[in-house]
Amino acid sequence: MLTEEPQSRDDWRQVAKEAQEARDGLAAALRDAGITLPSLSPDIATCAGGTVALVDLGRCDVATARRLASALREVSRHGAP
């Protein structure tokens, strides 16, 4: 993870790559739990101009929000694997 202001195109690419990898990992974990966030994506603005890669979780329907909340409650009750 970059801790300084990116100085080169390679630095910017690294920020974007980190955001995409985080997005992919989160999407896979959510998929394993039967949850899809259709708008999940790297935050283009932070990839283009920031030092911290962010992932935009986007929006989801009520049923998906409830499944996500239920999955998080389950993990908090039983602990992470």
Side-chain angles (χ1 to χ4, degrees), residues 4-73:
E4 300 175 6
E5 183 70 23
Q7 299 297 316
S8 70
R9 283 190 177 178
D10 288 338
D11 290 344
W12 295 114
R13 285 188 188 107
Q14 183 62 32
V15 170
K17 181 181 177 201
E18 288 178 10
Q20 185 63 46
E21 289 172 352
R23 179 253 175 246
D24 293 347
L26 180 56
L30 289 167
R31 191 171 39 254
D32 290 347
I35 300 168
T36 300
L37 295 178
S39 302
L40 186 64
S41 64
D43 184 330
I44 301 302
T46 58
C47 291
T51 59
V52 177
L54 298 179
V55 175
D56 187 344
L57 300 181
R59 299 189 281 177
C60 64
D61 62 23
V62 171
T64 300
R66 288 181 176 148
R67 283 195 309 277
L68 182 56
S70 176
L72 292 170
R73 276 191 219 92

